[in-house]
Amino acid sequence: MASSSSLYLLVALLALASWQAIAFDPSPLQDFCVADMKSPVRVNGFPCKNPMEVNPDDFFNAAKFDMPRNTMNKVGSNVTNLNVLNFPGLNTLGISLARIDYAPLGVNPPHIHPRATELLTVLEGTLYVGFVTSNPNRLFSKVVHKGDTFVFPKAMIHFQMNLDHNKPAVAQSSLNSQNPGVITIASAVFGSKPPISDDVLTKAFQVEKKVIDWLKSQFWESNY
Ligand SMILES: *[C@@H]1O[C@H](CO)[C@@H](O)[C@H](O)[C@H]1NC(C)=O
């Protein structure tokens, strides 16, 4: 009796463990599955293009990752994403890439990737980077230089800032999802459509309604 109930417990724990594992992009079940973006079929990811119609260009992208981007926006940064949405060959492979350009003192504002851990390497310049953990909210931050790598664990709020007053900075990030997703904290809270009620935001942020209204009236420009 005791051994059969511990067997049930073991099975339940194993089921829970495999459920946890699929919170990440699932492993591919074939060599490749180039996304067929035109298929009307809705699945987790994208259906595969006919393998006989797949060609080398499906595994290639000329996003010019060597070229500087325009950072003349409110936050002073520009993220170039290379994920399954613009590179269908990444479908089912659990990986994507980003180039991030920073103006002098430019910021990649606090945001979350709900589906990916991010490995950021500084290609040029000096960045102040950091992430905040789940409650209680501990900040892990560091000043990182050209050639350094920093990791932002999956789903943590994180940010980067170029510390140089005169020179631009550049980083490249690898992310372990074909479609990491991004939730920019400020625009999600103050720029959602339709907006979150003032009653919620004034209590949540412990400020007067006029502060919330001012924040809501800002244009929450995207940096990608
Ligand atoms: C990023 O840079 C590209 C190329 O310089 C530009 O076309 C694009 O508008 C910029 N995006 C943002 C959000 O600033």
Side-chain angles (χ1 to χ4, degrees):
M1 224 17 215
S3 71
S4 84
S5 66
S6 54
L7 184 66
Y8 281 130
L9 185 65
L10 182 67
V11 169
L13 284 173
L14 285 174
L16 191 67
S18 63
W19 173 255
Q20 296 287 334
I22 57 168
F24 295 82
D25 283 16
S27 297
L29 304 175
Q30 61 275 300
D31 284 356
F32 55 77
C33 167
V34 174
D36 178 357
M37 296 302 210
K38 295 188 190 103
S39 168
V41 179
R42 296 278 172 268
V43 292
N44 186 18
F46 295 96
C48 312
K49 190 173 159 179
N50 178 352
M52 297 314 290
E53 287 164 16
V54 168
N55 62 65
D57 280 340
D58 286 312
F59 303 104
F60 169 82
N61 189 289
K64 302 236 181 296
F65 264 44
D66 56 331
M67 297 299 290
R69 273 29 182 194
N70 181 349
T71 54
M72 301 283 286
N73 53 45
K74 277 188 169 182
V75 291
S77 67
N78 188 327
V79 183
T80 309
N81 289 301
L82 209 51
N83 56 39
V84 72
L85 303 175
N86 53 10
F87 191 171
L90 296 180
N91 193 38
T92 74
L93 299 184
I95 196 164
S96 60
L97 206 61
R99 175 189 164 105
I100 311 151
D101 287 75
Y102 310 85
L105 300 180
V107 165
N108 188 14
H111 62 281
I112 289 171
H113 302 296
R115 291 177 288 276
T117 288
E118 172 174 357
L119 205 52
L120 178 142
T121 300
V122 185
L123 301 182
E124 211 58 63
T126 298
L127 300 174
Y128 165 54
V129 304
F131 70 87
V132 177
T133 64
S134 314
N135 302 348
N137 306 122
R138 194 165 161 209
L139 170 69
F140 290 85
S141 71
K142 201 170 164 64
V143 174
V144 293
H145 305 274
K146 180 173 178 168
D148 293 347
T149 297
F150 195 85
V151 63
F152 304 108
K154 179 175 163 171
M156 300 292 108
I157 293 186
H158 62 285
F159 60 85
Q160 303 103 38
M161 180 181 191
N162 177 7
L163 293 181
D164 201 295
H165 290 246
N166 305 303
K167 283 187 252 143
V170 188
Q172 181 166 304
S173 284
S174 317
L175 300 107
N176 69 336
S177 169
Q178 64 174 30
N179 183 19
V182 56
I183 303 166
T184 308
I185 308 304
S187 71
V189 175
F190 300 111
S192 70
K193 289 191 183 69
I196 301 175
S197 141
D198 276 4
D199 297 334
V200 171
L201 296 180
T202 47
K203 278 235 170 62
F205 287 85
Q206 300 281 297
V207 293
E208 287 169 40
K209 187 177 172 303
K210 65 177 185 217
V211 178
I212 295 297
D213 289 340
W214 184 84
L215 284 163
K216 281 185 172 177
S217 70
Q218 300 307 299
F219 175 54
W220 295 102
E221 192 178 4
S222 159
N223 70 338
Y224 60 92

